[in-house]
């Protein structure tokens, strides 16, 4: 760095920081791509790989998209170094969703790691495998999770629990039951750590499947204090919901206080009970509950505020509608008792979220007298970090509103400290004004006086508003408050005169507003205050404040002697100043004119008339049209009703009944109802996000309907199913960003063939008699010796995939034991006699027409057209080569020479960003190795119209990306793309049905994959030909299907079975078995097709693949499904 | 559940992002967030939960680093905040403090930690002791090693045994050469003090007089308070008693000037014990606790029954419990600010002294306050310690140890903005101090017992009181 002696200070300081940062990863963060990363990734040294991965991580941290390194990174997943592994996992998780195909490459390594003796490795593998969220491997992950859920290591089980929501996120309907079963199993786990994680899985997967909780309720309650803190938060919520759904609300709790009140008021006929803030002494204790708010809170918790508020419009007051059965008692119900008992020590937790969650349970479930318990812990939370302080205050605010007495002894804890944020301050103010009582108001008020002088004027204004609220709430202190406010108003207005600061205005306006609110309650006793305000009008500059003072003047112009005496003078003053007022004030002046006139005594009118008519006259010609219009309207009123300008005083009574007067009276004179405080509060469950943001966040659910969960330990009740359904709906709507491959989900199915196997016969194809006219031979034999084996196999393998039974103990056991005990299963099943008919199709090979593709069409190739098709031949050179027939034909007028097809020169940068056509197909090997090509013979000359055929042998390293070739013809070179077909990456593996079934039995679980598709080719056939099928329709369809399979994939047809007992038209149960082996590694690959449906409609085909190369199997499966669904050529 | 965590520097740069679930969160959300900060001012940094158009954001700001977490669905907000705080704690513990550079320098460790701490948006391992076993903190040895050898792994090869045990906060087989356990009481005093009679108060009273409009003689009442206040009270009380609301009398009777004074304390334990020790700690006066909060290792039943702390400690430093003692009667020091303003200037004088001698020396005394916005310039000096006025009008006066011979005082003048005649808003003084060896709450540890002693451990106790939210209003 210091290349010359004259180093600048800057570079010196850089050097010194370099010294400090030596040994850290600083240089990697600062210049992540100052070296070429790709070669490092391919390095054989772990340290270099590690560095490369760190550089990639730095790029991720800085927000660069580096997903193009994906294939190279994925390769490194096989590493032994844990650090490299961790870094690879970090990278994988970040990009897997973007590059699903390449991500599939890592699956085999995960599966290997899942068997690692080191629990950390297992846990990491599981976490990452589940974290990459691909539909294609969902069933693999499910099996892995199921296996890990029974792992001896607590940590791995915990990770399994956390992995479940990842699976659930993929929305695989057919796996739901299996996932829920694992959740249930983990909830029963002995280790509290696992239970906590299982609780979180439960909450996100099936929050309403209360039967899972019901079985373990007591144990969950008891284990609760030992569960780790994060699990506690979730578990508390689950237990609360369960208790409510099972037992309903608690009679003594706050939630039902309104019911109490109703009963009481019915008894006592207490008229006060309808008043807003009823203070009801409870059992002699000084519990006062704002029952009306408590009622709203309760309803909001149960129904969600939006629904509740919407309903409030038409149905005004109905009780929560509980009959006695939905109410329980905290003293007699053990479940409720134990819940309260086990949550109360959590109020001492270090984690504020746990404390709040526990407090929420007590708030909802505990008897009113016991709620007190939550107060101190809640207040103690205020001493924790500033962020949580705000959230806690938001919740305390609700508690305090519903039950002010809880917090009123602790008012000092809500005193504001200067370090609080503005929002915290306002919340504290609001709480203080809610919980103020006669005894505490003095101290609170003194605090308020301090805050009024706070440098933050906004806050000072809020304080003033709070003073106003207190005064309205406690009429005893309203006088004092008013005096103080008046003093403030006077001093503030004088301040304003000195320094015209925009900020000061808000305080003054708020002061006047608060005064106005207090006066409204009892105008007659506050005449003096009005007079004072009016007198200080001259020094008030804030237009809003002036407008309010003038409103008060007009409104209360005749409440006392003093005011009515002042009025003429004031109007003179207003008339004088009218031109310089703001619009807001002008409007109020005009209004006040009318009010004064309407209420004035007859003898005063003459005195007022001049000033008022002058004001109105001014207003009529005001610049602002609002003012103008109003003045004109009002003048019109007045001219009619009181003979204001032109008529004599004596006449005004004759006009008394004039309509306009009635209007004026209605508009201005009507007894102003103090608008009752509208309950626009929205209450959400304590501790919820919705309560903080005051709208229902997606996924927010109110409490379950009390007693909606009735049945005990007996699986799903109808309600339950309904709930599940609902929650699914909600989940769906929540899914904002959406999952990428949603459409893939439905294609997958775990339903297996076993259902059909049950009523079918098994038969050996012992005879292969030739039968004229048909290629298919029907035989009906008794089960042979291979039977036992087959049946057992079928049961083990399909039992695993059965939707309902997927994770049943036995299946799991057998999977875990690697099927070593499959014989045991067979023994108890061997007596089941099954038989089915076997169809043999002869000579089908001759009918196979491999699909041909165009490499070059004549328009692009100057008349040369090249067509290729994959051939089922096996190359003699190497078993890894696929044979392709290439047909050349000359459509031009002139002969062509030197036609040759060769490999393109290696492309320096493989275009890795190229997207694959079908998302479910994948890469086998990373694509920086070029495909090799056995060169074809050169075609020297091709005359017009002459065809020529050549065989090309190609090794595709990559069965997805097209192979780029160069076609030279007459010296011109043209790039063409040869698209690989995974169907020809295998070669037929001849075997008989027994060995097929045996092989199949060795490849269960994660090596087995099933997809479903529809096959409709037979329909077209029928329609097209329109002739009576001379062949048996069954045979025809089997033939079609077999042909389709064999024309598109290089497989060997092992057998075609059909149930003998089948109906005429019902094709269900027919199964085709095909086998093949993968070209380059000779791994066998078994395909089973099972049909379902009738002849007249599209068939449902479920395709099952058993293959050790899971990824290859999956891709082949996808390919098969694709071509089966393809319309016929 | 959380979807993403971002770490932002104090200039809004995204230091790193960690996606947690399949629903990736775009970085654009950080731009949105920073725009909001820029438009709405720094005060938004104090808002922990923000609803953006697309996500709900939770933020925790620590030493200039903003920890931002996003979610789109309902979840307990405190869980998110608490978790972010935990992340901040762990990171600053690992990296010896937090700042932009230290995070960039150790971003790999930050990623590895985050990956262990949270999985699929749900907290996984947050216990610092276990994390330390899984991922080695950067230390000088590993730094040197990595320079010399080119690589060291900071990722542990084995799963910490504690994850499987029933005491997940403790390593299973610990061996220490010296068996020792230290208990520190660290207390913070929160107090709010009103140092002067409210200027408004007297006017308030005189207004009262004005309205009541009549004078009558009453018997003077002796009230403890400031002379100026007293004068008014006498005057007031001499008025018609009928007009005097009970409130006003109460106002005047407030004891002293102490609005609030309480102790927030923590029992910090540093345990270096071998094996699986079972400790009990009892207090001489457990009834003074107002509220308590415990480390997960504390068994709650013995506490409920006898107020005894029974626990198996984690290894090393941890906070065993925190508590609060309310309604203390006095503070160890006083701060008396005085403002007298006259025609555009304001004379300030602040006195600091010992009120109730705690018996030990008081040091680290610092007084800080923010000059009101209407102050144009200031000229402040002190007879002891140093005074600094920062650009954002924060004035800090560092005194250090309380001198024996003189009472520290600061004085000077403030020049108000033109047009202002006098100061009508008054700053709040924040006071910091430290007293070693004293727990001002009066809490006393009775004894500390080790149930299964292999060898008698060395035990030590200490106490310390600091100024917490200690505020003096002028």
């Amino acid at each position: 760095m210091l290349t010359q002696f004259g180093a600048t200070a800057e570079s010196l300081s850089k050097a010194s920081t370099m010294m400090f940062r030596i040994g850290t990863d600083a240089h990697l963060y600062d210049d992540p791509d100052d070296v070429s990363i790709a070669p490092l990734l391919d390095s054989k040294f772990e340290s270099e790989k590690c560095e490369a991965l760190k550089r990639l991580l730095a790029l991720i941290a800085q927000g660069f998209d580096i997903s193009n390194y994906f294939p190279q990174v994925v390769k490194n997943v096989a590493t032994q170094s844990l650090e490299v592994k961790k870094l690879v996992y970090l990278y994988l998780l970040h990009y897997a969703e973007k590059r699903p195909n390449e991500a599939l490459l890592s699956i085999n390594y995960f599966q290997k790691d899942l068997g690692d003796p080191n629990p950390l490795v297992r846990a990491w593998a599981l976490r990452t495998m589940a974290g990459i969220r691909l539909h294609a491997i969902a069933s693999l992950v499910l099996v892995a999770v199921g296996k890990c859920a029974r792992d001896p290591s607590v940590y791995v089980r915990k990770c399994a629990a956390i992995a479940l929501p990842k699976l659930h996120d993929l929305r695989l309907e057919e796996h739901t039951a299996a996932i829920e079963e694992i959740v249930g199993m983990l909830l029963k786990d002995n280790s509290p750590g696992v239970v906590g994680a299982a609780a979180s899985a439960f909450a996100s997967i099936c929050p309403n499947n209360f039967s899972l909780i019901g079985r373990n309720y007591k144990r969950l309650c008891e284990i609760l204090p030992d569960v780790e803190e994060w699990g506690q938060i979730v578990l508390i919520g689950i237990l609360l919901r369960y208790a409510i759904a099972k037992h309903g609300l608690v009679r003594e709790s706050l939630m039902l206080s309104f019911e109490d009140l109703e009963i009481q008021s019915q008894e006592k006929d207490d008229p006060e009970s309808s008043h807003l803030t009823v203070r009801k002494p409870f059992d002699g204790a000084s519990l006062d509950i704002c029952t009306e708010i408590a009622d709203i809170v309760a309803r909001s918790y149960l129904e969600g505020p939006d629904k509740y508020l919407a309903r409030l419009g038409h149905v005004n007051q109905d009780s929560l509608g509980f009959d006695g059965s939905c109410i329980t008692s905290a003293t007699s119900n053990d479940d409720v008792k134990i819940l309260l008992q086990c949550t109360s020590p959590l109020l001492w937790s270090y984690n504020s979220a746990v404390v709040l969650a526990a407090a929420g349970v007590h708030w909802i479930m505990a008897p009113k007298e016991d709620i007190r318990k939550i107060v101190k812990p809640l207040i103690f939370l205020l001493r924790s970090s500033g962020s949580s302080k705000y959230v806690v205050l938001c919740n305390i605010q609700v508690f305090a509103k519903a039950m002010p007495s809880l917090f009123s002894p602790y008012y000092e804890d809500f005193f504001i400290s200067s370090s609080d944020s503005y929002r915290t301050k306002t919340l504290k103010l609001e709480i203080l004004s809610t919980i103020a009582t006669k005894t505490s108001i003095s101290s609170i008020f003194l605090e308020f006086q301090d805050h009024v002088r706070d440098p933050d004027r906004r806050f000072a204004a809020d304080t003033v508003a709070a003073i106003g609220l207190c005064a309205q709430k406690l009429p005893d202190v309203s006088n004092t408050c008013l005096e103080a406010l008046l003093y403030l108003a006077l001093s503030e207005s004088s301040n304003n005169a000195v320094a015209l600061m925009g900020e000061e205005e808000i305080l003054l306006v708020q002061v006047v507003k608060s005064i106005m609110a207090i006066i409204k309650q009892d105008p007659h006793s506050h005449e003096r205050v009005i007079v004072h305000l009016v007198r200080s009008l001259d020094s008030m500059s804030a237009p809003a404040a002036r407008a309010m003072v003038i409103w008060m003047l007009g409104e209360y112009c005749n409440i006392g002697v003093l005011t009515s005496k002042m009025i003429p003078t004031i109007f003179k003053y207003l008339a004088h100043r009218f031109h310089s007022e703001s619009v807001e004030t002008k409007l109020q002046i005009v209004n006040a004119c009318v009010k004064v006139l309407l209420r004035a005594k007859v003898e005063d009118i003459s005195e007022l008339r001049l000033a008022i008519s002058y004001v109105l006259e001014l207003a009529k010609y005001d610049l602002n049209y609002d003012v103008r219009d109003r003045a004109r309207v009002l003048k019109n009123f007045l001219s009619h009703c009181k003979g204001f300008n032109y008529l004599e005083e004596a006449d005004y009574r004759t006009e008394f009944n004039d309509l306009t007067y009635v209007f004026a009276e209605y508009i201005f004179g009507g007894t102003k109802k103090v608008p009752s405080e509208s309950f626009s509060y929205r209450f959400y469950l304590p501790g919820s996000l919705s309560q903080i943001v005051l709208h229902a966040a997606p996924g927010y659910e109110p409490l379950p309907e009390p007693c909606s969960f009735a049945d005990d330990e007996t699986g799903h009740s109808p309600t339950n199913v309904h709930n599940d359904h609902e929650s699914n709906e909600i989940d769906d709507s929540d899914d904002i960003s959406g999952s990428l491959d949603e459409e893939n989900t439905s294609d997958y199915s775990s339903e297996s063939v076993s259902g059909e196997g049950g009523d079918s016969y098994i038969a050996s194809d012992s005879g292969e008699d030739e039968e004229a006219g048909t290629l298919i031979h029907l035989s009906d034999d008794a089960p042979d010796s291979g039977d036992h084996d087959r049946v057992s196999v079928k049961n083990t393998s399909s039992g695993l995939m059965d939707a309902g039974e997927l994770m049943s103990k036995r299946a799991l056991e057998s999977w875990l034991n690697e099927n070593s005990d499959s014989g045991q299963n067979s023994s108890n099943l061997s007596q089941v006699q099954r038989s089915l008919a076997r169809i043999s199709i002869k000579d089908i090979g001759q009918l196979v027409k491999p699909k041909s593709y165009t490499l070059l069409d004549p328009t692009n190739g100057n008349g040369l057209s090249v067509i290729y098709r994959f051939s089922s031949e096996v190359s003699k050179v190497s078993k890894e080569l696929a044979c392709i027939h290439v047909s050349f034909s000359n459509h031009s007028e002139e002969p062509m020479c030197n036609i040759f097809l060769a490999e393109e020169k290696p492309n320096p940068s493989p275009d890795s960003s190229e997207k694959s056509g079908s998302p479910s197909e994948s890469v086998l090997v990373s694509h920086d190795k070029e495909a090799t090509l056995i060169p074809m013979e050169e075609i020297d000359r091709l005359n017009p119209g002459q065809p020529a055929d050549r065989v090309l042998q190609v090794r595709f390293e990559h069965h997805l990306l097209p192979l780029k070739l160069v076609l030279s013809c007459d010296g011109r070179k043209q790039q063409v793309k040869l698209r690989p077909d995974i169907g020809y990456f295998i070669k037929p593996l001849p075997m008989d049905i027994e060995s097929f079934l045996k092989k199949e039995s060795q490849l269960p679980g994660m090596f087995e994959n099933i997809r479903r598709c529809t096959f409709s080719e037979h329909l077209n056939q029928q329609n097209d030909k329109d002739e009576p099928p001379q062949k048996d329709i069954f045979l025809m369809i089997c033939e079609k299907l077999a042909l389709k399979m064999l024309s598109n994939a290089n497989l060997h047809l092992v057998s075609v079975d059909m149930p003998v007992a089948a109906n005429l038209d019902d094709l269900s149960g027919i199964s085709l078995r095909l086998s093949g082996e993968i070209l380059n590694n000779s791994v066998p690959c078994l395909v089973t097709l099972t049909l379902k449906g009738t002849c007249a409609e599209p068939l449902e085909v479920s395709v099952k693949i058993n293959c050790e190369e899971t990824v290859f199997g999956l891709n082949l499966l996808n390919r098969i499904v694709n071509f089966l669904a393809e319309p016929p050529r | 559940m959380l979807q993403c965590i971002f770490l932002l520097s104090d200039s809004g740069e995204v230091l790193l992002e960690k996606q947690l679930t399949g629903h990736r969160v775009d970085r654009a959300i950080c731009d949105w967030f920073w725009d909001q900060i820029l438009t709405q001012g720094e005060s938004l940094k104090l808002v922990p939960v923000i609803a953006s158009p697309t996500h709900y954001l939770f933020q925790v700001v620590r030493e200039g680093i903003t920890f931002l977490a996003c979610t789109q669905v309902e979840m307990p907000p405190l869980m998110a905040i608490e978790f972010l705080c935990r992340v901040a704690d762990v990171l600053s513990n690992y990296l010896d403090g937090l700042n932009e550079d230290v995070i960039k320098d150790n971003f790999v460790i930050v990623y590895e930690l985050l990956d262990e701490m949270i999985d699929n948006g749900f907290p996984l391992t947050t216990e610092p002791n276990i994390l330390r076993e899984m991922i080695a903190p950067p230390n000088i040895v590993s730094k040197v090693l990595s320079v010399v050898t080119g690589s060291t792994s900071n990722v542990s090869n084995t799963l910490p045994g504690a994850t499987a045990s029933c005491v997940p906060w403790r390593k299973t087989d610990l061996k220490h050469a010296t068996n020792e356990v230290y208990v520190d009481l660290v207390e913070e005093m929160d107090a709010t003090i009103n140092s002067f009679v409210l200027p408004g108060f007297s006017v308030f009273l005189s207004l009262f007089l004005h309205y009541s409009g009549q004078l009558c003689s009453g018997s003077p009442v002796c009230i403890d308070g400031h002379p100026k206040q007293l004068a008014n009270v006498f005057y007031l009380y001499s008025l018609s008693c009928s007009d005097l609301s009970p409130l006003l009398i109460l106002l005047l009777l407030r004891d002293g000037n102490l609005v609030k004074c309480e102790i927030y304390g923590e029992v910090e334990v540093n345990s270096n014990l071998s094996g699986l020790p079972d400790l009990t700690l009892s207090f001489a006066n457990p009834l003074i606790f107002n509220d308590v909060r415990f480390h997960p290792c504390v068994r709650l039943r013995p506490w409920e029954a006898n107020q005894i702390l029974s626990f198996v400690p984690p290894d090393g430093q941890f906070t065993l419990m925190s508590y609060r003692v309310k309604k203390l009667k006095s503070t160890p020091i006083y701060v008396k600010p005085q403002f007298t303003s006259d025609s555009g200037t304001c004379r300030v004088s602040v006195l600091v002294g010992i009120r109730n001698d705690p018996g030990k020396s008081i040091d680290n005394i610092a007084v800080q306050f923010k000059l009101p916005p209407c102050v144009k310039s200031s000229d402040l000096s002190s007879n002891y310690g140093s005074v600094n006025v920062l650009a954002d009008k924060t004035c800090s006066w560092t005194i250090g140890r309380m001198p024996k011979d003189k009472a520290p005082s600061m004085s000077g003048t403030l020049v108000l903005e033109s047009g202002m005649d006098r100061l009508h808003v008054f700053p709040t003084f924040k006071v910091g101090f430290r007293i070693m060896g004293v727990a001002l709450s009066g809490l006393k540890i009775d004894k500390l017992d080790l149930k299964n002693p292999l060898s008698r451990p060395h035990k030590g106790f200490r106490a310390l009181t600091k100024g917490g939210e200690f505020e003096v209003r002028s």
Side-chain angles (χ1 to χ4, degrees), chain B residues 332 358 360-363 433-438 440 463-466:
Chain B
K360 305 269 175 171
S361 68
I362 307 176
D363 56 9
F433 59 88
R434 193 178 68 170
I435 312 169
M436 301 292 288
V438 176
L440 281 181
L464 163 70
T465 303
K466 292 188 282 192

Side-chain angles (χ1 to χ4, degrees), chain B residues 274-293:
Chain B
S274 311
L276 205 67
D278 199 334
L279 295 170
T280 47
L281 178 70
S282 57
F283 297 101
N285 46 353
L287 294 177
I288 65 166
F289 291 133
N290 202 281
D291 313 299
V292 285
R293 218 152 56 187

Side-chain angles (χ1 to χ4, degrees), chain A residues 21 29 61 83 86 94 97 118 127 229 349-350 352 383 418 446 450 453 532 689-690 695 698, chain B residues 15 22 24 27 56 74 82 86 105 115-116 154 157 188 190 194 211 293-294 319 426 471 473:
Chain A
R21 300 168 75 177
Y29 192 94
E83 185 165 33
K86 179 101 229 171
H94 198 83
E97 233 172 352
N118 185 350
R127 281 170 57 190
E229 46 197 341
S349 169
Y350 241 78
S352 54
R383 190 56 170 73
S418 61
L446 209 54
D450 282 349
R453 300 179 314 126
H532 262 279
L689 175 60
S690 305
H695 62 255
Chain B
L15 294 177
R24 297 170 57 87
R27 262 177 196 236
Y56 300 102
E74 172 68 51
E82 190 83 13
R86 225 47 88 78
D105 293 357
D115 196 53
E116 288 307 325
N154 56 345
N157 281 326
E188 287 184 12
D190 296 354
N194 269 334
Y211 291 128
R293 218 152 56 187
F294 300 115
T319 304
F426 296 94
E471 294 181 355
R473 296 180 185 151

